[in-house]
Amino acid sequence: MDQPTQDPMAAKSAVARGGWYALALVSLTQLLSLLDRNILAILSPRIKKDLGIGDAEMGLLYGTVFALFYALFSLPLGRLSDGWRRTWLLALCIGFWSISTGLAAFAAGFALLALSRLGVGIGEAASQPAGTSLVFDYFPKARRGFAMAIIAAAIAVGLGLSSMLGGVAADWWDTHHAVEGGMKGWQFAFVIAALPGLPLAMLLWRMPEPRRGEIEGIVTPPDPAPFRAGGALLAAVLPVTNWLALARQGASPRQWVANLGALVLIVAAMVGLARLGMAASPRPPLDLGGLLVSPHALQWAVVGFGLYVVVNLVQSLKLTDAPVHAVMRSPSLMICMAVGSLQSTINYGCMAFTPAFLMKTYHLSPAEAGFQFGLLSAGLGVVGPLIAGPVTDWAHVRFANWGRVGLALFAMGGSPLIAVWVYHAPDAGSFFWRFVPYSLVLTMWLPPLYATLYDQVLPRMRGITASTYVVVMTICGLGVGPYVVGMISDAVGGNLGTAILSINLVAVVIVVLLIALGLRVRSDEAMLIPRARAAGEPV
């Protein structure tokens, strides 16, 4: 009797030469990315006191200001990572965001601190598209769950280390070296966070670049003009220049109407949300170099900008790269992006204010909160993904549609229920003990979801897919989550526990979407190559 034919790509399990070294450097990149991004959370009480701002403004700094440029620049940098040397791109971007992190040490007001966050957002925009694309060219499908688990563990270490390093460094400086009118502890913490990126950038610059797609038998030739392609994509998604791009691309009257109609709807929705925010949580205007701006107007202007960028991106891909547009219309791919974005709303909303919650509710010092919470979340954030990674690879083979999706459903659907128990703990000790099962379950979501997402596209499309996901995830997750939690906290008298738990209600939508994903993920993946060929891709 003939044995059933096995997919050779799924069966192949050997990691390409240099793969483990590449995974280590990419994981360190993600670690530093989250360290520099999240250190603001543990430092927020000191920054608020020195700069005279509230939780809503801290939500803007932590989420919205960073999110705008992180999301926007992920698109041209993601396109560049599909055609240029990813190792060099990562090296240059790490150096840029490290210098931007250090710039915060000189901030004496909201404007310069916002400029620092802006630079960090631009630099970090390449970390996920280029890093994921690089790792997937070393690891076959059968090992990608584990590879994503290592990256997820590094992200958790970066998150935990940001609290530990930020709290301890700030306390040490304020205790031993603070002088009237001199550098503050929170400013010194930014200097320490900025330093490790420079040697990592040098290691990545020297690392060889793998042949794109070789491990899957779909070798992609180098892009003859990757910078031109990245620049063209940026021009195509930016407001105003997008209209010039539509004209050059020969957009139809229907496409012009769709673009302008979407712009009108987005502006109207953002104005309404800004007014709603001001009614729920009145805040004084921010002084941006002499320009007074409502924090709520700034928040929703950034979100609206991001949404319009997504509209422009979809239209541009349809006109200039039909195979990418066709592949990215996969229902499973879109569901994965929606689920990851909504989960990021919860994660970033919680992580931005949990250190402040511990200090305010249980009267911990910044050093105590940073060290204890950082150490625990880092350790559990490593264990959870390392359990989920091998389970993801095993379940994907054994349980077809529901292997990876079932694990994601368990993590994303179960963790909010445990969160209610955690954030009602009577004391700090109880909080940390309850946080153990919560964090273990929560951190299992990334390996199965990301492995599913990137299996839905061809190798040459992974950079632009990752950057598209980054845009949606950043605007909906990082751009909205911390702001909403901060606004709810201001509206309910500073009750951070209530605010953090409120954002977890998003999990209801996540569960529904994951059920829909499980019903169709394998059939959509099987249609990947036929869908690309039908749109003109030579595969």
Side-chain angles (χ1 to χ4, degrees):
M1 180 180 296
D2 292 337
Q3 295 296 320
T5 301
Q6 189 175 15
D7 180 1
M9 289 300 106
K12 185 177 179 182
S13 60
V15 177
R17 183 179 180 182
W20 295 107
Y21 180 65
L23 179 59
L25 292 190
V26 169
S27 297
L28 285 173
T29 299
Q30 297 297 327
L31 186 156
L32 290 183
S33 171
L34 269 293
L35 169 64
D36 290 352
R37 184 184 314 178
N38 196 65
I39 196 170
L40 192 69
I42 191 65
L43 302 175
S44 64
R46 299 166 186 261
I47 295 172
K48 285 166 57 181
K49 180 181 177 181
D50 283 348
L51 302 187
I53 56 180
D55 283 333
E57 286 87 342
M58 288 308 302
L60 281 167
L61 282 173
Y62 182 88
T64 312
V65 174
F66 173 90
L68 172 62
F69 292 90
Y70 181 66
L72 177 62
F73 279 86
S74 71
L75 292 171
L77 292 175
R79 178 63 183 84
L80 186 58
S81 73
D82 279 336
W84 196 50
R85 289 186 63 120
R86 292 158 289 186
T87 53
W88 289 359
L89 179 60
L90 284 172
L92 291 171
C93 287
I94 290 170
F96 184 80
W97 92 56
S98 297
I99 292 170
S100 298
T101 299
L103 180 65
F106 303 95
F110 182 88
L112 187 56
L113 193 56
L115 182 64
S116 166
R117 300 295 293 174
L118 178 158
V120 174
I122 293 173
E124 292 189 2
S127 61
Q128 188 166 316
T132 303
S133 176
L134 191 63
V135 167
F136 272 45
D137 272 331
Y138 283 107
F139 283 75
K141 286 187 177 183
R143 305 294 295 275
R144 286 175 183 165
F146 180 75
M148 295 309 301
I150 297 296
I151 292 175
I155 289 172
V157 172
L159 285 170
L161 192 59
S162 68
S163 295
M164 296 166 59
L165 179 67
V168 172
D171 270 8
W172 179 81
W173 182 268
D174 282 338
T175 302
H176 296 93
H177 297 283
V179 295
E180 185 68 27
M183 178 179 283
K184 305 290 187 180
W186 62 266
Q187 294 171 315
F188 174 71
F190 279 114
V191 173
I192 297 299
L195 293 177
L198 302 179
L200 178 58
M202 289 188 286
L203 290 174
L204 277 160
W205 185 268
R206 294 172 59 88
M207 193 178 87
E209 176 81 4
R211 292 186 69 194
R212 196 183 307 269
E214 184 175 33
I215 199 165
E216 291 173 84
I218 311 175
V219 177
T220 304
D223 190 327
F227 286 91
R228 183 186 304 168
L233 182 59
L234 179 62
V237 300
L238 280 173
V240 181
T241 59
N242 74 299
W243 296 328
L244 298 176
L246 284 176
R248 286 197 304 268
Q249 294 160 1
S252 67
R254 183 177 180 180
Q255 288 169 321
W256 279 98
V257 170
N259 186 278
L260 297 174
L263 177 60
V264 170
L265 290 175
I266 289 171
V267 169
M270 296 306 105
V271 169
L273 288 169
R275 290 178 176 175
L276 181 63
M278 183 58 75
S281 176
R283 297 296 306 167
L286 296 170
D287 185 356
L288 302 180
L291 178 65
L292 299 180
V293 180
S294 162
H296 298 290
L298 177 60
Q299 158 68 26
W300 292 111
V302 169
V303 172
F305 182 94
L307 293 176
Y308 189 51
V309 163
V310 173
V311 170
N312 294 337
L313 172 64
V314 172
Q315 286 195 314
S316 176
L317 290 176
K318 186 175 183 179
L319 290 167
T320 62
D321 198 335
V324 171
H325 182 264
V327 166
M328 292 182 66
R329 290 177 62 189
S330 162
S332 289
L333 181 64
M334 290 189 287
I335 291 173
C336 283
M337 289 188 178
V339 166
S341 300
L342 292 173
Q343 185 62 42
S344 295
T345 304
I346 297 175
N347 290 359
Y348 282 117
C350 293
M351 289 302 298
F353 289 100
T354 293
F357 167 82
L358 292 172
M359 289 181 273
K360 185 174 184 179
T361 306
Y362 306 121
H363 309 293
L364 301 180
S365 71
E368 290 173 330
F371 186 80
Q372 294 177 43
F373 177 69
L375 184 63
L376 187 62
S377 59
L380 296 172
V382 170
V383 174
L386 290 182
I387 293 172
V391 172
T392 293
D393 292 335
W394 171 80
H396 179 59
V397 175
R398 187 174 181 86
F399 297 108
N401 287 27
W402 291 100
R404 290 172 174 169
V405 176
L407 184 58
L409 185 59
F410 167 74
M412 296 174 167
S415 55
L417 302 177
I418 307 175
V420 177
W421 180 54
V422 174
Y423 286 91
H424 281 101
D427 52 64
S430 299
F431 175 92
F432 289 125
W433 279 113
R434 295 179 184 189
F435 190 79
V436 171
Y438 170 67
S439 185
L440 281 175
V441 173
L442 173 63
T443 54
M444 291 182 178
W445 74 273
L446 191 150
L449 187 76
Y450 278 33
T452 300
L453 189 155
Y454 293 114
D455 276 354
Q456 298 292 324
V457 300
L458 296 174
R460 81 159 182 94
M461 303 175 182
R462 286 188 186 126
I464 190 63
T465 300
S467 59
T468 302
Y469 169 67
V470 164
V471 172
V472 180
M473 179 270 291
T474 302
I475 294 301
C476 297
L478 185 56
V480 174
Y483 167 80
V484 169
V485 172
M487 187 182 69
I488 294 173
S489 174
D490 287 342
V492 298
N495 190 328
L496 286 172
T498 298
I500 289 169
L501 289 176
S502 297
I503 203 70
N504 278 270
L505 294 173
V506 174
V508 175
V509 181
I510 291 174
V511 168
V512 174
L513 289 173
L514 283 173
I515 292 172
L517 179 63
L519 294 173
R520 65 173 306 133
V521 63
R522 278 292 180 91
S523 61
D524 282 344
E525 186 177 340
M527 286 299 297
L528 168 59
I529 291 179
R531 186 182 294 115
R533 282 176 179 162
E537 185 74 7
V539 291

